[in-house]
Amino acid sequence: MIRVLAIDDEPLALQQLVAYIRKIPFLELVAECQSALEAKELLNRESVDAVFCDINMPDLNGMDFVKSLSVPPLIVFTTAYSEYAVEGFKVDAVDYLLKPFGLDEFRRAANRLKDRLSLPAAASNETPEDDTIFVKTDYRVVKLTVSDIRYVEGMSEYLKIYLEGQKPVITLLSMKKMEEYLPPYFMRIHRSYIINLKKIQEVNKNRVILDADTYLPIGDNYREAFNNYLNTKFLGK
């Protein structure tokens, strides 16, 4: 699922945008905002993959909002003003929807998002020869075996990668970037944790247990996706 945020200061336009998002099976609406300032505050608490954002808004317009983000998600601009198109692509917008746009145009933009977020072949290939990634740590570049990763902990701008039989590795990297490069048997269960689903020993209420000493919380925003995964593996009533 692609986690998205919808931003538009016009209530009817926002309502239409939200309705379109809900019609696309691979989009998950995280929140809807009526101002860029509200969206900026929300992004300090929530992780999203992409933003559908109006440009012409009071206080902080959509273009300046995107430029103000240190690590912006993917952006699809929505606006009634065609003169913003060139500037929109200068900030690497995935697409530019000119109002009024229909569902077919919106679906094409959503598919472009999906294409941009598709994992590289090497990242999704689980064969042993491709089961490696490289990260920078302590002025070195080290090779990690992906299947040895037990879980990843987010610590502000850094990640702490816990491995089987090795000391944890700390690297300067975002959780979003790590999610992009990990294969499908990894899942984010909390704002601060990505786990290797193959390493789960037990699920107890709101915690995932990897071993006798490792209990990781399941965040409210990730519980539904995690429960859906469990349901595909669950035997019995």
Side-chain angles (χ1 to χ4, degrees), residues 51-211:
V51 175
F52 289 89
C53 181
D54 187 25
I55 293 179
N56 193 25
M57 294 185 289
D59 298 325
L60 179 66
N61 71 46
M63 200 71 66
D64 290 337
F65 161 68
V66 173
K67 291 176 181 177
S68 73
L69 300 176
S70 56
V71 185
L74 296 182
I75 303 294
V76 174
F77 283 121
T78 65
T79 183
Y81 300 93
S82 58
E83 60 266 26
Y84 286 116
V86 173
E87 190 177 356
F89 288 113
K90 283 182 180 178
V91 295
D92 197 28
V94 174
D95 208 344
Y96 182 97
L97 291 170
L98 189 61
K99 298 177 183 179
F101 53 86
L103 180 58
D104 286 344
E105 293 168 281
F106 182 86
R107 184 180 286 111
R108 282 194 292 272
N111 284 330
R112 290 189 180 105
L113 281 177
K114 189 177 181 181
D115 290 342
R116 285 279 290 269
L117 286 169
S118 293
L119 293 177
S124 58
N125 189 333
E126 296 182 33
T127 59
E129 60 269 26
D130 290 328
D131 191 30
T132 56
I133 57 174
F134 290 84
V135 298
K136 291 181 179 179
T137 180
D138 295 332
Y139 306 103
R140 299 175 296 130
V141 175
V142 298
K143 182 175 75 171
L144 305 180
T145 300
V146 174
S147 56
D148 284 344
I149 298 174
R150 300 175 66 241
Y151 67 99
V152 179
E153 180 182 5
M155 304 184 302
S156 187
E157 297 178 345
Y158 291 84
L159 298 182
K160 192 172 187 179
I161 303 170
Y162 293 81
L163 302 150
E164 291 285 0
Q166 303 175 50
K167 291 182 179 180
V169 171
I170 297 176
T171 185
L172 179 62
L173 196 66
S174 70
M175 289 287 276
K176 179 184 173 184
K177 197 70 174 178
M178 192 68 177
E179 282 184 284
E180 290 176 2
Y181 280 91
L182 289 175
Y185 58 86
F186 284 83
M187 178 178 284
R188 192 166 184 176
I189 62 164
H190 187 274
R191 184 181 180 187
S192 300
Y193 295 106
I194 301 170
I195 64 167
N196 184 335
L197 296 170
K198 296 180 180 181
K199 306 295 184 181
I200 296 175
Q201 297 298 316
E202 186 179 334
V203 179
N204 188 338
K205 295 183 179 179
N206 293 324
R207 299 183 300 178
V208 172
I209 301 172
L210 301 186
D211 57 42

